[in-house]
Amino acid sequence: GNTIDQLMALDYPLNSLRIYLIDDASSDNTPRIAIEKSKEYPGNVIHIRRVAGGEGKAHTLNYGLNMLWRNSWTQAILIMDADVIYTQGSLKRMARHLSDPNVGAVTAYIKEGSQRPNYLQRFIRFEYVTATGASRRAQNVMGFLACLSGGAQLHSRENLQAIGGQIFSETLAEDTFTTFRTQMHGRKAIFDPHAIVYAEEPDTLDGLWKQRIRWARGNVQITGIFRQLWGNRQAHPTMGSWAMVFL
């Protein structure tokens, strides 16, 4: 509920903003909250219930995308997570880049946003400054992006449809796969360091371990899928660079 309220408070014209909450057969209070918010913000908040769920994030996103493609109103799609909070000017800062037809996707600067961070979340907060803030700024300069953040990726309609109109579901790193496909199809994927969003991160070592194992497995899958790309500038002028291999 707080996520939706923050989105509706964005510095963005409300007649150009619709929130589709894809409910993946949830058994908690999600349906009740979604219905309440759809009544509070009629026309802006739409609840889509997926009865047969549990297949993973990519399948859930694709269920929503199939709904959106039926409507020509959809010009751009922001893919996010339910626990991500957008600062007031973040979406406007991201969306401005899509005025350039060469840009297919934009990601924001995700920061650790727990209200009372423990020692582990403070470590993650520092990590995000270095691994996200510094590294992705460098990637902008070098002309490629290694990964759009899964909780903050804005795509033009043309970009998503050019790469198949669906999110690849055969990997644990669907956000990285989409990033690669965007650039392999000739559009840029960029990082905007001034578009700030906050996300809750694991507060236990066990939770962090599970998260990073999932990321690592996804990256191994991506490495195999795009093995023809590494160090091969003929495959792509910037993503085929040795700088990309190093990163």
Side-chain angles (χ1 to χ4, degrees):
N2 183 43
T3 301
I4 293 174
D5 289 337
Q6 292 294 326
L7 289 172
M8 292 303 299
L10 288 172
D11 178 18
Y12 204 84
L14 291 183
N15 62 347
S16 297
L17 178 67
R18 294 179 187 172
I19 302 165
Y20 289 83
L21 193 155
I22 315 302
D23 176 2
D24 189 43
S26 59
S27 57
D28 58 10
N29 288 326
T30 297
R32 178 183 61 80
I33 294 170
I35 291 169
E36 287 176 355
K37 293 301 177 183
S38 65
K39 292 178 180 177
E40 184 177 350
Y41 306 110
N44 290 108
V45 177
I46 298 96
H47 176 222
I48 298 176
R49 174 77 173 177
R50 188 169 183 240
V51 178
E55 294 180 294
K57 181 178 178 180
H59 287 282
T60 305
L61 291 174
N62 288 335
Y63 189 84
L65 287 173
N66 288 335
M67 301 281 187
L68 294 178
W69 296 146
R70 300 173 190 172
N71 194 334
S72 60
W73 181 89
T74 306
Q75 293 180 317
I77 294 175
L78 174 69
I79 296 174
M80 59 174 292
D81 297 328
D83 63 348
V84 177
I85 300 298
Y86 280 68
T87 57
Q88 193 172 39
S90 53
L91 181 57
K92 183 177 283 188
R93 290 189 174 98
M94 295 171 73
R96 60 184 175 155
H97 297 286
L98 297 185
S99 62
D100 181 353
N102 294 316
V103 175
V106 185
T107 195
Y109 188 175
I110 291 190
K111 295 187 175 185
E112 203 288 317
S114 302
Q115 289 186 337
R116 296 179 179 85
N118 62 13
Y119 73 97
L120 188 62
Q121 290 164 323
R122 289 178 186 275
F123 165 76
I124 295 172
R125 184 173 291 183
F126 171 76
E127 179 196 20
Y128 277 13
V129 171
T130 55
T132 300
S135 176
R136 288 182 178 168
R137 279 183 171 93
Q139 291 168 43
N140 276 348
V141 173
M142 291 185 283
F144 63 82
L145 188 68
C147 182
L148 295 158
S149 298
Q153 45 180 312
L154 179 68
H155 297 268
S156 67
R157 181 190 184 105
E158 292 78 9
N159 180 59
L160 276 180
Q161 292 192 327
I163 61 176
Q166 297 277 288
I167 303 299
F168 188 64
S169 59
E170 301 302 318
T171 175
L172 295 171
E174 75 285 332
D175 45 5
T176 307
F177 186 90
T178 303
T179 309
F180 277 49
R181 292 277 287 172
T182 292
Q183 295 167 102
M184 297 292 283
H185 276 72
R187 289 185 171 88
K188 296 178 182 178
I190 60 176
F191 166 67
D192 190 322
H194 303 292
I196 308 295
V197 304
Y198 293 95
E200 291 180 323
E201 296 300 332
D203 58 358
T204 64
L205 283 172
D206 181 61
L208 182 66
W209 176 257
K210 290 178 180 178
Q211 180 195 63
R212 298 311 166 93
I213 284 292
R214 185 177 74 252
W215 290 0
R217 286 175 176 165
N219 285 335
V220 168
Q221 293 167 345
I222 292 294
T223 302
I225 293 169
F226 292 96
R227 56 186 174 274
Q228 83 286 353
L229 178 64
W230 311 119
N232 181 7
R233 285 189 179 273
Q234 291 184 338
H236 193 275
T238 56
M239 296 189 73
S241 67
W242 285 104
M244 178 65 174
V245 175
F246 175 75
L247 282 165

